[in-house]
Every structure is written in structure tokens, then in C-alpha cells.
Amino acid sequence: MFNGFESRRFDHRGVTLHARIGGNGPPLLLLHGHPQTHVMWHRVAEDLCARFSVVAMDLRGYGDSSRASSDATHVAYSKRVMAEDAVALMRHLGHARFAVCAHDRGARVAHRLALDHAESVERLMLLDIAPTLAMYEGTTEAFARAYWHWFTLIQPAPLPERMIEGDPVFYLRSVMGRRHAGIGAFEPQALAEYERCIALPGTAHAICEDYRASASIDLVHDRADRDAARCLDMPLRVLWGAHGTVGACFDVLGLWRACASRSSGRALDCGHYIAEEAPAELQREMRAFFD
């Protein structure tokens, strides 16, 4: 996996950020979701290198990026701070302006990045999410049952941490394997990497802090944006799985059109893990949108 890529580390405000870098052309930042790492892009990354300078980054608390210390405010794992990580890394690599494609938790970071650093984001593609605030405010029983981890991981420490740490591989396989395509959708080498990283010390707490931030400080930031009528102004392409929970429970494109001035999107014939379930279709979408 990632033939021709270089593994790089960058220190930013006491946090070490890890990324794989490869290719030539306009810069393209890739951000992963939970409970995965940058490796989730392995089925599309090499193809993208023919057209772009690809940066596949591990979010703080995930993969081989460091586990930042946190406190009761959860600010260290706010999407605002995680977006600052991404901007700092891209600027360190010489990219003042770049395109972004992001999935799941990484897409929530990308949403905040595009709001707070609009001058840095040329085009934005988000995979299988609706806006965080809209999803919490529109929670139904069906959504809560399918996305049980949204409500489990935000409970006070150390209960959810202990639950993950008791058997981190079981937790990961439960989250990923119970969705549309099952655990067989994942390349064994990629799955082994996800399992390695979720078992690293501090990962369980970092994951919980990511979700606690989304249910607290991130909502404060999102409500402030809504009150100020701030919206995304760069071209936005939204894709979601036709067999996934987000598309079943929410009007994905309608919710994004409410907070973005130039948005388009559609469902793909897959579940939540688009880059691994439907890589060829995603590659076509990315080439058409980013080229």
C-alpha cells in the first residue's frame, strides 16, 4: 500500500502529526474517519498521485499522530483545533491553498477547516456526513440505534475508555463490521493497521474526547456560525452511501445546501466506507470535481 509515498512527521504545538505524502500536482489533503487512520485511502491514493500532490494525514489521537492531553472543556479535540493541525501541516509542506477530501470524523474537521480557513480551501469534498449540529438536532431512534457510539463515547471518563480498552480490536470490528458491507470489505493489511493503532496507549481516550468535543464545544462553534449566517462559499461536493445510515436518516444534500452556497452531491451504491467499498466510483468523482 502507498507505493511511492513518503512517511513524514511534523510537530505542531506539542502534537506530532503523521502523514503520507506522494505525487505531483495541485495539493490535495485527505482526512480519515473513525475508527480508522490515513490507511483508509489506500485504494485511491496511488491513482490520485498521477494528478495531485497527495497528503494523507492521521488526525490527532488517531493512527501514528500523537494523543494530545485534554481537559474538561475537550478543546484539545475540538474540530477547530484539529483543523488548525491540518492547516499547519499543509503550510509546513508549502501549500497555502489546497483541495480537501474527507470522510466521517475527518469530514467534520474539514467542515470546520473550510469555515475557519476559507482562504486555504479551494474545493471541498465530504463523504457520508451531514452537518454535526443538524445530526444532533435531528436525532431519531433509528439514528441513535445505528450510531450508538455517538452517544456511548460522550459519556464521562473513564467508562467508555474502559469499554474500548477491554478489547480494542473487538470494539473496532463491532463498529466497522456491523455496517452494510461487513468486515470483509476491508483489505486484511489495512484492517491490521487499524487494529494496531486503536490498541496504542491513549487512543481510547483520544477517540472519546473527539466525540465529547463534537457533542459540546463543537456545537457551540456551530451554533455561533448559524447565528451569524456563516456558510461555506467554495465549491462543495457531498457523497454518501445509498446503503448507509446518514442517507437513510437525513436529507444529506438539503442540509448541506442550507449552510453552503455552492453544493452538489449524490448517493453512491455502497455503505459508509466509500473509499474502501466503492473506490473506482470515488476516483471518478474526485477526478471530475478536483480536476
Side-chain angles (χ1 to χ4, degrees):
M1 297 188 294
F2 292 93
N3 291 324
F5 278 72
E6 176 188 1
S7 182
R8 296 275 295 275
R9 283 174 168 76
F10 166 65
D11 291 330
H12 173 62
R13 295 181 181 175
V15 174
T16 299
L17 304 171
H18 172 257
R20 291 273 184 90
I21 302 166
N24 292 287
L28 173 61
L29 174 64
L30 305 178
L31 299 177
H32 66 85
H34 160 272
Q36 298 174 289
T37 74
H38 77 278
V39 170
M40 63 155 282
W41 301 105
H42 70 95
R43 288 178 174 161
V44 300
E46 291 177 29
D47 177 81
L48 293 172
C49 279
R51 295 170 175 81
F52 305 100
S53 294
V54 178
V55 180
M57 170 186 167
D58 285 332
L59 300 171
R60 64 167 57 195
Y62 292 86
D64 286 314
S65 289
S66 61
R67 282 63 179 144
S69 59
S70 189
D71 58 29
T73 68
H74 316 301
V75 168
Y77 287 89
S78 68
K79 304 309 157 289
R80 174 158 286 161
V81 169
M82 295 170 84
E84 290 171 356
D85 288 344
V87 171
L89 173 63
M90 293 302 280
R91 289 178 179 169
H92 173 73
L93 296 172
H95 306 311
R97 188 168 170 79
F98 47 89
V100 183
C101 182
H103 175 249
D104 190 73
R105 308 307 294 176
R108 303 189 189 285
V109 174
H111 181 200
R112 175 50 55 191
L113 191 163
L115 283 167
D116 289 359
H117 307 275
E119 73 287 349
S120 296
V121 180
E122 185 175 356
R123 300 175 81 83
L124 177 64
M125 179 177 283
L126 303 178
L127 306 182
D128 211 58
I129 71 161
T132 305
L133 179 58
M135 291 178 71
Y136 270 118
E137 290 185 343
T139 290
T140 62
E141 180 182 349
F143 174 66
R145 285 181 179 276
Y147 271 38
W148 54 269
H149 57 288
W150 270 45
F151 308 97
T152 301
L153 301 184
I154 66 175
Q155 299 305 310
L159 176 61
E161 284 91 340
R162 295 277 181 88
M163 293 171 65
I164 295 172
E165 290 167 347
D167 193 339
V169 171
F170 177 79
Y171 168 79
L172 182 141
R173 285 176 170 258
S174 296
V175 171
M176 296 172 61
R178 292 181 183 180
R179 289 180 168 166
H180 166 70
I183 206 71
F186 304 101
E187 186 76 27
Q189 188 178 353
L191 186 60
E193 184 65 4
Y194 306 147
E195 293 174 350
R196 177 186 71 84
C197 290
I198 200 168
L200 292 174
T203 301
H205 183 61
I207 287 173
C208 293
E209 286 296 283
D210 174 15
Y211 279 84
R212 289 175 184 132
S214 282
S216 57
I217 186 64
D218 290 344
L219 296 183
V220 172
H221 296 156
D222 291 346
R223 290 190 177 104
D225 290 331
R226 183 173 64 184
D227 293 345
R230 294 182 66 207
C231 68
L232 300 173
D233 193 40
M234 70 288 296
L236 169 65
R237 183 71 171 167
V238 183
L239 304 173
W240 62 95
H243 307 290
T245 298
V246 175
C249 293
F250 300 95
D251 175 10
V252 181
L253 190 54
L255 290 171
W256 282 111
R257 283 178 169 162
C259 59
S261 61
R262 293 189 283 169
S263 58
S264 64
R266 68 182 183 98
L268 304 185
D269 186 19
C270 63
H272 177 63
Y273 297 100
I274 294 174
E276 288 166 293
E277 294 180 47
E281 197 167 3
L282 177 59
Q283 286 171 1
R284 288 192 292 270
E285 283 280 347
M286 294 177 77
R287 288 195 294 267
F289 182 65
F290 292 121
D291 281 349

